[in-house]
Amino acid sequence: MNFSKIQAKQRAFFVTWDDGSTSELPFIWLRDNDQDELHPHTGERVFDLTSIKLDIRPLDYSLELSDTPEQSLLKVDWPDKELKSIYSAKWLFAHRPGQPRYDAAAIGRKSWAAKEMNSLPSFDAKQCHKSQDSLLEALTTLKQTGIILINNLDDDPKAGELFGDLIGFKRESNYGVVFEVKSKPKPNNLAYTSLALPLHTDLSNQEFVPGNQFLHCYRNDAIGGSSVFADALAIVEDFQCDCPEYYQTLCELPVPWHFLDDKDDVRYHRPVIGLTRNGEFNTLTFNAHLADIPDFSASDLYTFYAAYQELMKRIRGASYNIHYELQNGEMVIFDNQRVLHGRTAFDPNSGSRHLRGYYIEHNELNSRIRMLDRRKQQ
């Protein structure tokens, strides 16, 4: 968008753009965001805001118009700066107050129930390794649906880890960086048994719940052990509509979550339903096995149990659940703060079952999407 005209008033420039829209550009905001005040190599801000007054005004300014927004320039002479500050119309329009900055990782979520998810969105591991466009498509789909399947991994226990290296660094927890999901003699987690696992999200007891979970099926020859998934976005949308009071209860009451073994005692309080700053559904924290003894008042307990049980019943509802038999060389990736996962029981004597898992945070995945998008635009 290009300049049409500009006026300087008491505290700001008022710009009229060539589409007729207007923007207020406060002087203090312009001075603070002078692109000359960024370090030339790191791009970090070096300007000291305390060095100026909040009511700063330009000594003078001029407007140089061109046919292109990149070359249409606002030049400002500030009282504290020797050289004039230069702002292009393109930069000012893209960063005008009230306008969210473009973010390739700001991808809308699409809710799904069982009938909408006939098959998991699948991507070829080798193609993702070779093609940045293919990797970007896979990660974009993951942001939209909360779950994807990666197939054609090498017959190597570390193949799943290598795929994660395309995205970013892995998070370490009390289970290590990479955890081995198989039946163990003395397990410290129900995942390390052959029992059925009801739908849940991982590590609700941590201060920061992991963002994305990666589960690489290295071997699965046992009878049973079907993976189960459900989209909390769809479940909670219906729950809020049908049970608004229960929904509000689970948004507000901080549930105690707890993990304890011979080495660690990890606890945290948080509501089951997490909201964005705009008050919309953002995350689900649900793990009945890690729920500690509720420490609410007696009056809150009655309301909590009614709401919690109702949500639990809905989570287990067949209309939301999809089942998938992971095959050797496949890896499922899902948003651990949105998509619930579980499995049916399996017979450990009928064959081997060995999955390898790890976590990569949302921040890392978002960063990779932005970098892939930036390279695509160049």
Side-chain angles (χ1 to χ4, degrees):
M1 199 61 62
N2 212 335
F3 296 124
S4 176
K5 67 176 182 179
I6 189 167
Q7 292 179 295
K9 296 194 176 181
Q10 182 66 27
R11 299 190 301 173
F13 288 115
F14 286 79
V15 176
T16 301
W17 305 100
D18 56 12
D19 68 347
S21 63
T22 60
S23 296
E24 180 179 349
L25 308 179
F27 297 141
I28 183 65
W29 173 81
L30 285 166
R31 184 65 190 94
D32 183 44
N33 290 283
D34 185 343
Q35 297 300 285
D36 288 341
E37 304 280 5
L38 302 179
H39 190 278
H41 299 299
T42 70
E44 295 171 300
R45 188 192 306 270
V46 294
F47 175 67
D48 180 7
L49 183 61
T50 65
S51 67
I52 62 170
K53 295 182 178 180
L54 293 177
D55 61 356
I56 189 171
R57 288 178 53 84
L59 297 175
D60 196 11
Y61 72 95
S62 61
L63 196 61
E64 294 185 7
L65 293 176
S66 171
D67 292 337
T68 61
E70 295 91 341
Q71 296 177 332
S72 286
L73 307 175
L74 170 63
K75 295 185 177 181
V76 182
D77 185 8
W78 299 108
D80 68 308
K81 186 182 176 188
E82 183 176 349
L83 299 176
K84 291 184 178 181
S85 298
I86 300 175
Y87 310 88
S88 73
K90 180 180 179 180
W91 187 91
L92 286 172
F93 187 79
H95 298 89
R96 64 196 186 279
Q99 172 64 29
R101 188 171 182 175
Y102 168 72
D103 185 358
I107 298 166
R109 300 188 295 183
K110 299 177 181 178
S111 63
W112 50 267
K115 62 182 180 181
E116 287 91 31
M117 189 65 78
N118 296 322
S119 61
L120 295 178
S122 299
F123 299 89
D124 185 87
K126 293 179 174 56
Q127 188 63 29
C128 289
H129 275 280
K130 289 192 302 183
S131 166
Q132 292 188 345
D133 286 347
S134 295
L135 179 60
L136 178 58
E137 183 184 1
L139 300 185
T140 299
T141 303
L142 175 59
K143 290 276 292 186
Q144 291 171 336
T145 63
I147 186 169
I148 60 173
L149 185 73
I150 302 298
N151 52 41
N152 202 23
L153 289 165
D154 289 338
D155 187 20
D156 180 341
K158 293 187 177 294
E161 294 176 64
L162 293 174
F163 187 90
D165 292 342
L166 295 173
I167 300 169
F169 63 84
K170 304 170 182 67
R171 167 175 167 172
E172 185 170 11
S173 71
N174 52 289
Y175 297 104
V177 176
V178 177
F179 46 91
E180 311 286 344
V181 185
K182 53 185 178 180
S183 186
K184 300 178 182 179
K186 293 183 178 180
N188 64 346
N189 189 295
L190 286 174
Y192 305 150
T193 71
S194 60
L195 299 173
L197 289 180
L199 286 163
H200 63 282
T201 60
D202 273 12
L203 304 194
S204 54
N205 59 296
Q206 295 280 347
E207 181 178 2
F208 300 104
V209 174
N212 299 287
Q213 182 168 169
F214 294 62
L215 273 178
H216 170 208
C217 180
Y218 176 55
R219 289 289 182 268
N220 189 12
D221 304 317
I223 297 174
S226 174
S227 296
V228 188
F229 302 101
D231 183 16
L233 182 57
I235 295 169
V236 173
E237 283 175 349
D238 294 342
F239 183 65
Q240 181 181 13
C241 181
D242 299 339
C243 311
E245 293 183 2
Y246 287 172
Y247 172 85
Q248 197 63 35
T249 294
L250 296 185
C251 288
E252 295 175 352
L253 286 178
V255 177
W257 308 96
H258 186 204
F259 169 85
L260 175 66
D261 67 3
D262 294 338
K263 297 180 180 179
D264 298 288
D265 185 343
V266 187
R267 315 177 192 185
Y268 202 78
H269 281 72
R270 64 165 46 82
V272 173
I273 298 172
L275 304 177
T276 67
R277 61 184 180 182
N278 296 324
E280 299 173 346
F281 169 70
N282 187 34
T283 63
L284 186 80
T285 301
F286 181 86
N287 193 321
H289 301 299
L290 294 183
D292 201 1
I293 300 170
D295 50 7
F296 318 130
S297 67
S299 59
D300 282 339
L301 281 173
Y302 295 111
T303 306
F304 166 73
Y305 275 115
Y308 190 56
Q309 186 188 65
E310 176 61 27
L311 179 64
M312 188 180 295
K313 289 178 179 178
R314 288 169 177 258
I315 285 172
R316 296 178 182 179
S319 62
Y320 297 111
N321 296 182
I322 60 171
H323 291 248
Y324 186 80
E325 295 278 355
L326 281 170
Q327 304 299 311
N328 297 346
E330 291 183 335
M331 180 167 66
V332 64
I333 309 173
F334 53 91
D335 184 340
N336 180 59
Q337 296 179 17
R338 168 186 170 181
V339 173
L340 300 115
H341 66 287
R343 69 157 188 251
T344 62
F346 67 93
D347 181 359
N349 298 314
S350 63
S352 60
R353 190 177 194 278
H354 183 185
L355 277 62
R356 307 186 81 236
Y358 56 89
Y359 306 108
I360 292 181
E361 299 296 2
H362 291 144
N363 206 37
E364 292 302 303
L365 186 134
N366 291 340
S367 174
R368 183 57 51 216
I369 289 175
R370 295 179 189 119
M371 295 305 296
L372 291 169
D373 178 75
R374 181 183 298 181
R375 294 189 184 107
K376 190 174 181 179
Q377 302 304 324
Q378 290 176 345

